[in-house]
Amino acid sequence: MQKIVIIPTYNEKENISSIVAAIFSLDQQFHVLVIDDNSPDGTAQIVKDMQASYPNELFLEERKGKQGLGTAYIYGFRWALARGYNYIFEMDADFSHNPKDLDTLYEACLQGADVAVGSRYVKGGGNVNWPRNRVILSKGASLYTRLIIRLPVKDPTAGFVCYKREVLEAINLNEIRFTGYAFQIEMKFAAWKLGFVIKEIPIIFRDRTYGSSKMNKGIVKEGIAGVLYLRWQSWFKDYHNRLKKTESTSYPSVSNEVFAKTKR
Protein backbone atom coordinates (compact mmCIF):
# COMPACT_ATOMS: atom_id res chain seq x y z
CA MET A 1 0.00 0.00 0.00
CA GLN A 2 1.78 3.10 -1.25
CA LYS A 3 -0.40 6.11 -1.96
CA ILE A 4 -3.74 7.37 -0.71
CA VAL A 5 -5.59 10.61 -1.44
CA ILE A 6 -7.73 12.02 1.37
CA ILE A 7 -10.74 14.04 0.22
CA PRO A 8 -12.94 15.72 2.85
CA THR A 9 -16.46 16.38 1.61
CA TYR A 10 -19.53 18.35 2.55
CA ASN A 11 -22.21 18.72 -0.14
CA GLU A 12 -20.06 17.71 -3.11
CA LYS A 13 -22.54 15.58 -5.07
CA GLU A 14 -21.80 17.44 -8.32
CA ASN A 15 -18.08 16.69 -8.10
CA ILE A 16 -17.35 13.56 -6.10
CA SER A 17 -17.92 10.86 -8.71
CA SER A 18 -15.93 12.73 -11.36
CA ILE A 19 -12.97 13.50 -9.09
CA VAL A 20 -12.76 9.91 -7.85
CA ALA A 21 -12.92 8.54 -11.40
CA ALA A 22 -10.23 11.00 -12.52
CA ILE A 23 -7.88 9.87 -9.75
CA PHE A 24 -8.40 6.21 -10.57
CA SER A 25 -7.65 6.90 -14.24
CA LEU A 26 -4.06 7.85 -13.37
CA ASP A 27 -1.24 5.38 -13.95
CA GLN A 28 0.20 5.65 -10.44
CA GLN A 29 -2.58 3.58 -8.79
CA PHE A 30 -3.72 5.87 -6.01
CA HIS A 31 -6.23 4.79 -3.41
CA VAL A 32 -8.88 7.28 -2.23
CA LEU A 33 -10.36 7.93 1.22
CA VAL A 34 -13.43 10.17 1.30
CA ILE A 35 -14.29 11.63 4.68
CA ASP A 36 -17.84 12.94 4.57
CA ASP A 37 -19.32 15.13 7.30
CA ASN A 38 -22.92 13.95 6.94
CA SER A 39 -23.58 15.84 3.69
CA PRO A 40 -27.34 16.37 3.34
CA ASP A 41 -27.04 16.26 -0.46
CA GLY A 42 -26.19 12.54 -0.56
CA THR A 43 -22.46 12.76 -1.28
CA ALA A 44 -21.73 9.72 0.89
CA GLN A 45 -24.28 7.56 -0.92
CA ILE A 46 -22.65 8.36 -4.27
CA VAL A 47 -19.33 7.15 -2.86
CA LYS A 48 -20.97 3.99 -1.51
CA ASP A 49 -22.41 3.26 -4.94
CA MET A 50 -18.95 3.70 -6.51
CA GLN A 51 -17.34 1.30 -4.05
CA ALA A 52 -18.84 -1.60 -5.99
CA SER A 53 -16.57 -0.66 -8.90
CA TYR A 54 -13.52 0.05 -6.70
CA PRO A 55 -13.92 -2.33 -3.73
CA ASN A 56 -10.26 -2.33 -2.70
CA GLU A 57 -9.28 1.21 -3.70
CA LEU A 58 -12.12 3.50 -2.58
CA PHE A 59 -12.89 3.98 1.09
CA LEU A 60 -15.48 6.06 2.94
CA GLU A 61 -15.58 7.34 6.49
CA GLU A 62 -18.74 9.14 7.60
CA ARG A 63 -18.82 11.56 10.51
CA LYS A 64 -21.82 13.01 12.31
CA GLY A 65 -22.05 16.68 11.44
CA LYS A 66 -19.78 19.29 9.93
CA GLN A 67 -16.61 19.22 12.06
CA GLY A 68 -14.10 21.13 9.99
CA LEU A 69 -11.39 20.55 7.43
CA GLY A 70 -8.58 20.09 9.92
CA THR A 71 -10.26 17.39 11.97
CA ALA A 72 -11.20 15.55 8.76
CA TYR A 73 -7.60 15.49 7.58
CA ILE A 74 -6.25 14.44 10.96
CA TYR A 75 -8.81 11.64 11.03
CA GLY A 76 -7.63 10.64 7.57
CA PHE A 77 -3.95 10.83 8.50
CA ARG A 78 -4.44 8.44 11.40
CA TRP A 79 -6.59 6.14 9.28
CA ALA A 80 -3.94 5.99 6.54
CA LEU A 81 -1.00 5.53 8.92
CA ALA A 82 -2.80 2.69 10.68
CA ARG A 83 -3.17 0.93 7.32
CA GLY A 84 0.45 1.31 6.23
CA TYR A 85 0.30 3.93 3.48
CA ASN A 86 3.64 5.56 2.69
CA TYR A 87 2.50 8.67 0.78
CA ILE A 88 -0.56 10.51 2.03
CA PHE A 89 -2.17 13.29 -0.01
CA GLU A 90 -4.60 16.12 0.72
CA MET A 91 -6.89 17.21 -2.06
CA ASP A 92 -10.14 19.16 -2.62
CA ALA A 93 -13.15 17.48 -4.21
CA ASP A 94 -14.10 20.35 -6.53
CA PHE A 95 -11.40 20.10 -9.27
CA SER A 96 -9.66 23.26 -8.06
CA HIS A 97 -6.74 20.84 -7.82
CA ASN A 98 -5.96 18.97 -11.04
CA PRO A 99 -5.79 15.21 -10.33
CA LYS A 100 -2.95 14.87 -12.84
CA ASP A 101 -0.76 16.94 -10.50
CA LEU A 102 -0.87 14.11 -7.96
CA ASP A 103 1.79 12.39 -10.04
CA THR A 104 4.03 15.49 -9.86
CA LEU A 105 3.70 15.76 -6.08
CA TYR A 106 4.50 12.07 -5.73
CA GLU A 107 7.59 12.39 -7.90
CA ALA A 108 8.80 15.32 -5.79
CA CYS A 109 8.67 13.13 -2.70
CA LEU A 110 10.46 10.31 -4.50
CA GLN A 111 13.21 12.80 -5.36
CA GLY A 112 13.83 13.93 -1.79
CA ALA A 113 11.02 16.12 -0.54
CA ASP A 114 9.37 15.09 2.73
CA VAL A 115 6.40 17.36 2.04
CA ALA A 116 5.43 18.34 -1.51
CA VAL A 117 3.12 21.36 -1.76
CA GLY A 118 1.07 22.20 -4.84
CA SER A 119 1.84 25.91 -4.95
CA ARG A 120 0.10 28.76 -6.71
CA TYR A 121 2.81 31.26 -5.87
CA VAL A 122 6.02 29.81 -7.25
CA LYS A 123 7.13 30.25 -10.86
CA GLY A 124 4.72 28.40 -13.14
CA GLY A 125 1.85 28.39 -10.65
CA GLY A 126 -1.26 30.55 -10.57
CA ASN A 127 -5.01 30.97 -10.13
CA VAL A 128 -7.67 30.74 -12.84
CA ASN A 129 -11.22 32.13 -12.66
CA TRP A 130 -10.84 33.25 -9.07
CA PRO A 131 -12.61 36.45 -7.98
CA ARG A 132 -10.20 39.33 -7.46
CA ASN A 133 -11.07 39.62 -3.77
CA ARG A 134 -10.18 35.95 -3.20
CA VAL A 135 -6.83 36.38 -4.97
CA ILE A 136 -6.02 39.42 -2.82
CA LEU A 137 -7.06 37.56 0.34
CA SER A 138 -4.98 34.50 -0.54
CA LYS A 139 -1.84 36.40 -1.50
CA GLY A 140 -2.21 38.65 1.52
CA ALA A 141 -2.53 35.63 3.82
CA SER A 142 0.60 34.08 2.32
CA LEU A 143 2.63 37.27 2.79
CA TYR A 144 1.30 37.79 6.31
CA THR A 145 2.19 34.21 7.28
CA ARG A 146 5.73 34.41 5.95
CA LEU A 147 6.36 37.75 7.66
CA ILE A 148 5.05 36.64 11.06
CA ILE A 149 6.35 33.08 11.43
CA ARG A 150 9.14 33.07 8.82
CA LEU A 151 7.81 29.88 7.24
CA PRO A 152 9.79 29.45 3.98
CA VAL A 153 6.75 28.44 1.93
CA LYS A 154 5.26 30.84 -0.61
CA ASP A 155 1.82 29.21 -0.52
CA PRO A 156 1.36 28.26 3.15
CA THR A 157 -2.44 27.95 2.92
CA ALA A 158 -2.24 25.46 0.04
CA GLY A 159 -4.44 22.41 0.48
CA PHE A 160 -2.90 20.20 -2.21
CA VAL A 161 -0.11 18.36 -0.41
CA CYS A 162 1.76 15.05 -0.30
CA TYR A 163 3.24 13.93 3.02
CA LYS A 164 5.64 11.08 3.46
CA ARG A 165 4.42 8.86 6.28
CA GLU A 166 7.56 9.68 8.29
CA VAL A 167 6.39 13.29 8.56
CA LEU A 168 2.94 12.44 9.90
CA GLU A 169 4.41 9.81 12.21
CA ALA A 170 6.78 12.42 13.66
CA ILE A 171 4.18 15.12 14.30
CA ASN A 172 2.14 14.94 17.50
CA LEU A 173 -1.25 15.36 15.86
CA ASN A 174 -2.81 15.99 19.27
CA GLU A 175 -1.05 19.38 19.21
CA ILE A 176 -2.57 20.50 15.89
CA ARG A 177 -5.16 23.04 16.99
CA PHE A 178 -6.86 24.56 13.99
CA THR A 179 -9.62 23.44 11.64
CA GLY A 180 -9.72 25.91 8.72
CA TYR A 181 -6.96 27.40 6.57
CA ALA A 182 -4.86 27.87 9.70
CA PHE A 183 -4.69 24.07 9.81
CA GLN A 184 -2.81 24.05 6.52
CA ILE A 185 -0.35 26.62 7.84
CA GLU A 186 0.08 24.78 11.12
CA MET A 187 0.87 21.45 9.48
CA LYS A 188 3.54 22.98 7.26
CA PHE A 189 4.95 24.93 10.20
CA ALA A 190 5.15 21.77 12.31
CA ALA A 191 6.91 19.83 9.53
CA TRP A 192 9.39 22.67 9.02
CA LYS A 193 10.09 23.04 12.73
CA LEU A 194 10.81 19.31 12.94
CA GLY A 195 13.40 19.62 10.18
CA PHE A 196 11.58 18.05 7.25
CA VAL A 197 12.21 19.17 3.66
CA ILE A 198 9.30 21.06 2.09
CA LYS A 199 9.28 21.54 -1.67
CA GLU A 200 6.76 23.64 -3.60
CA ILE A 201 5.58 22.37 -6.99
CA PRO A 202 3.82 24.83 -9.31
CA ILE A 203 0.14 24.15 -9.96
CA ILE A 204 -2.72 26.03 -11.58
CA PHE A 205 -5.58 26.43 -9.12
CA ARG A 206 -8.99 26.69 -10.79
CA ASP A 207 -12.09 28.02 -9.07
CA ARG A 208 -14.82 25.45 -8.64
CA THR A 209 -17.51 25.13 -11.32
CA TYR A 210 -20.07 23.23 -9.24
CA GLY A 211 -21.05 23.50 -5.59
CA SER A 212 -20.31 26.33 -3.20
CA SER A 213 -17.13 27.51 -1.50
CA LYS A 214 -16.70 26.69 2.21
CA MET A 215 -14.85 29.98 2.85
CA ASN A 216 -16.37 32.18 5.54
CA LYS A 217 -15.39 34.98 7.93
CA GLY A 218 -14.69 32.52 10.73
CA ILE A 219 -12.06 30.75 8.64
CA VAL A 220 -10.38 34.07 7.81
CA LYS A 221 -10.34 35.12 11.47
CA GLU A 222 -8.90 31.76 12.49
CA GLY A 223 -6.13 32.19 9.94
CA ILE A 224 -5.17 35.62 11.25
CA ALA A 225 -5.25 34.55 14.90
CA GLY A 226 -3.68 31.18 14.15
CA VAL A 227 -0.51 32.66 12.69
CA LEU A 228 -0.07 34.86 15.75
CA TYR A 229 -0.65 31.83 17.98
CA LEU A 230 2.04 29.85 16.16
CA ARG A 231 4.47 32.73 16.47
CA TRP A 232 3.79 33.03 20.19
CA GLN A 233 4.08 29.28 20.78
CA SER A 234 7.36 29.06 18.89
CA TRP A 235 8.98 31.35 21.47
CA PHE A 236 8.62 28.66 24.15
CA LYS A 237 11.45 26.18 24.51
CA ASP A 238 9.12 23.21 24.89
CA TYR A 239 7.19 23.92 21.67
CA HIS A 240 9.46 21.70 19.57
CA ASN A 241 9.10 18.88 22.10
CA ARG A 242 5.32 19.18 22.13
CA LEU A 243 5.21 19.07 18.34
CA LYS A 244 7.16 15.85 18.18
CA LYS A 245 5.38 12.57 18.67
CA THR A 246 6.99 10.29 21.26
CA GLU A 247 6.53 6.64 22.14
CA SER A 248 4.19 7.70 24.94
CA THR A 249 1.92 9.70 22.62
CA SER A 250 -1.37 7.89 22.15
CA TYR A 251 -4.12 8.55 19.66
CA PRO A 252 -7.77 7.54 20.07
CA SER A 253 -9.08 4.99 17.60
CA VAL A 254 -10.19 6.49 14.30
CA SER A 255 -13.49 4.69 14.73
CA ASN A 256 -14.18 6.67 17.92
CA GLU A 257 -16.48 9.64 17.36
CA VAL A 258 -14.78 11.63 20.10
CA PHE A 259 -11.49 11.44 18.23
CA ALA A 260 -12.57 14.09 15.74
CA LYS A 261 -12.53 16.80 18.39
CA THR A 262 -8.84 17.54 18.28
CA LYS A 263 -9.13 21.26 18.95
CA ARG A 264 -8.90 22.00 22.67
Side-chain angles (χ1 to χ4, degrees), residues 57-77:
E57 296 87 26
L58 176 60
F59 307 97
L60 172 68
E61 290 288 314
E62 297 180 79
R63 305 194 303 168
K64 294 181 179 180
K66 193 175 181 181
Q67 299 177 39
L69 182 77
T71 63
Y73 275 130
I74 290 177
Y75 188 105
F77 293 160

Side-chain angles (χ1 to χ4, degrees), residues 67-137:
Q67 299 177 39
L69 182 77
T71 63
Y73 275 130
I74 290 177
Y75 188 105
F77 293 160
R78 293 175 180 169
W79 188 100
L81 290 173
R83 287 156 180 80
Y85 287 95
N86 295 320
Y87 298 90
I88 300 168
F89 296 76
E90 299 179 359
M91 185 179 185
D92 291 346
D94 60 6
F95 281 95
S96 55
H97 302 142
N98 188 337
K100 292 181 180 179
D101 289 328
L102 287 166
D103 290 337
T104 309
L105 296 180
Y106 176 55
E107 288 298 324
C109 284
L110 290 180
Q111 294 173 15
D114 298 309
V115 182
V117 177
S119 178
R120 296 161 289 184
Y121 304 132
V122 294
K123 185 177 180 180
N127 294 299
V128 173
N129 296 331
W130 238 21
R132 183 174 176 79
N133 65 321
R134 288 291 301 276
V135 174
I136 293 172
L137 178 63

Side-chain angles (χ1 to χ4, degrees), residues 9-10 35-38 62-73 75 177-180 222 256-263:
T9 56
Y10 184 78
I35 301 175
D36 187 72
D37 276 4
N38 196 30
E62 297 180 79
R63 305 194 303 168
K64 294 181 179 180
K66 193 175 181 181
Q67 299 177 39
L69 182 77
T71 63
Y73 275 130
Y75 188 105
R177 306 292 180 169
F178 299 105
T179 60
E222 184 198 71
N256 190 332
E257 194 69 35
V258 177
F259 146 73
K261 298 181 180 179
T262 59
K263 184 178 180 182

